[in-house]
Amino acid sequence: DAGITQSPRYKITETGRQVTLMCHQTWSHSYMFWYRQDLGHGLRLIYYSAAADITDKGEVPDGYVVSRSKTENFPLTLESATRSQTSVYFCASSEVSGTLGYTFGSGTRLTVV
Amino acid sequence: GQQVMQIPQYQHVQEGEDFTTYCNSSTTLSNIQWYKQRPGGHPVFLIQLVKSGEVKKQKRLTFQFGEAKKNSSLHITATQTTDVGTYFCAGTSSNTGKLIFGQGTTLQVKP
């Protein structure tokens, strides 16, 4: 889906470093989400945002920070990366009603060494 | 907390055989969505069911939402190699309004 892009696609970082994953959507969707996907755990919600300047914690928010100063961008920051944060991260967006489901980005594969 | 359980976790079938994955919630859902994720890809929205007992079809795929709105199923008739991937259900809690994903069922199809 060209309407939601994530960058980078792959990232290797060292333990303790700060890293930011970017998410940009062109749909003007109100809602945006960050998920992590790990074997055996499916998709787990990290943070979500209902609109610009409104964010809320999901299921696994510890160690992550988000911001949403503009509707189209929803960056996810790992303040001090740990090996347990090695995962595939997906950004998603949806319109308010959610009837058309979530649109996911292509994902960022993050490895913390 | 609320959970959405999906079974089986893995399924291997011969091409042409049918396949079903089941989704069960501990609480009532206001709707259920289904997604497909191809290997190495991202989840792609397939369909949403809202009404109790609702059945929807997309070609060889049949989706059902239980009468109590706590369970759902996806049935694929005569699987093809293009059906390979992981199928996720995701339910919106009637209490919290949050979408909760099941753990997914990974389908392998042998040609």
Side-chain angles (χ1 to χ4, degrees), chain B residues 13-44:
Chain B
V13 299
Q14 198 71 40
E15 189 173 20
E17 291 181 338
D18 292 356
F19 159 77
T20 304
T21 173
Y22 301 91
C23 189
N24 291 287
S25 170
S26 55
T27 59
T28 304
L29 302 170
S30 52
N31 63 59
I32 191 98
Q33 297 178 359
W34 285 91
Y35 293 79
K36 177 183 178 180
Q37 183 177 22
R38 295 183 187 276
H42 57 276
V44 174

Side-chain angles (χ1 to χ4, degrees), chain B residues 11-99:
Chain B
Q11 184 84 58
H12 294 249
V13 299
Q14 198 71 40
E15 189 173 20
E17 291 181 338
D18 292 356
F19 159 77
T20 304
T21 173
Y22 301 91
C23 189
N24 291 287
S25 170
S26 55
T27 59
T28 304
L29 302 170
S30 52
N31 63 59
I32 191 98
Q33 297 178 359
W34 285 91
Y35 293 79
K36 177 183 178 180
Q37 183 177 22
R38 295 183 187 276
H42 57 276
V44 174
F45 175 72
L46 294 176
I47 206 162
Q48 175 171 278
L49 305 173
V50 178
K51 298 176 185 175
S52 169
E54 190 170 12
V55 178
K56 286 188 177 180
K57 292 190 176 184
Q58 288 180 351
K59 297 182 180 178
R60 294 178 294 105
L61 278 61
T62 302
F63 304 85
Q64 291 189 332
F65 199 11
E67 293 291 341
K69 301 184 77 171
K70 285 187 174 183
N71 61 287
S72 181
S73 65
L74 158 60
H75 179 83
I76 302 178
T77 304
T79 55
Q80 299 175 358
T81 55
T82 53
D83 295 325
V84 163
T86 300
Y87 293 85
F88 291 96
C89 64
T92 300
S93 167
S94 298
N95 298 331
T96 66
K98 290 185 178 177
L99 190 69

